[in-house]
Amino acid sequence: MNPRSLARQLPLRLSAGAFLLNSGVSKVDADEATAGQLHGFATGTYPFFGKLDAERFTRLLSRVELALAGALLLPVVPAAAAGAGLTAFSLGTLGLYLRTPGMRQEGSLRWTEQGLPLAKDVWMLGIGVSLLVDGLLQCGRRRR
């Protein structure tokens, strides 16, 4: 990775990576009640998660967050790859925000107090798309 690209991407990668690292670590040893809450919330929007038990779902979620954190924090992972992963993950969390009753004010995209923890994930979507576009542009420049 060239130094200019790294300098441009580093604040994005560090902020999202640190956030996901903390989130993933906090779920590694989640108790049964926490696992049940996370699983129940996710299956309300994404019913296919119902095939997993709550503890397995939470372990999987933790591993995904930790893998994404690693991809973002390690600059050897191409920006397009890290950005694609972050974009996909944040679209999933924003899907929870958009589809779960009570997260948004009636007839609006504006969040409620309950929706704020998910609504703020829009910044992760912005970072993911930025890294993805930047990485794809870099690939295009290298081919010329």
Side-chain angles (χ1 to χ4, degrees), residues 49-106:
F49 284 134
K51 295 178 183 175
L52 300 171
D53 67 69
E55 289 178 12
R56 184 177 174 137
F57 168 80
T58 304
R59 278 194 311 274
L60 178 63
L61 178 59
S62 174
R63 288 177 183 155
V64 167
E65 288 177 333
L66 291 171
L68 275 173
L72 290 161
L73 294 171
L74 297 171
V76 296
V77 176
L86 184 58
T87 297
F89 183 80
S90 60
L91 284 172
T93 60
L94 288 172
L96 287 169
Y97 173 72
L98 292 171
R99 295 179 185 151
T100 303
M103 297 289 118
R104 296 180 292 120
Q105 294 179 17
E106 183 100 12

Side-chain angles (χ1 to χ4, degrees), residues 99-117:
R99 295 179 185 151
T100 303
M103 297 289 118
R104 296 180 292 120
Q105 294 179 17
E106 183 100 12
S108 172
L109 289 176
R110 294 179 60 210
W111 60 83
T112 61
E113 191 172 319
Q114 295 80 18
L116 180 60

Side-chain angles (χ1 to χ4, degrees), residues 115-138:
L116 180 60
L118 289 173
K120 55 95 181 112
D121 287 353
V122 73
W123 66 267
M124 285 199 311
L125 177 62
I127 290 171
V129 171
S130 294
L131 290 171
L132 180 59
V133 169
D134 197 41
L136 292 174
L137 289 174
Q138 285 177 26

Side-chain angles (χ1 to χ4, degrees), residues 3-19 72-73 86 123 127 130-131 134:
R4 289 178 63 198
S5 294
L6 181 59
R8 183 176 55 246
Q9 295 171 10
L10 200 57
L12 302 173
R13 293 177 80 129
L14 287 175
S15 59
F19 182 86
L72 290 161
L73 294 171
L86 184 58
W123 66 267
I127 290 171
S130 294
L131 290 171
D134 197 41

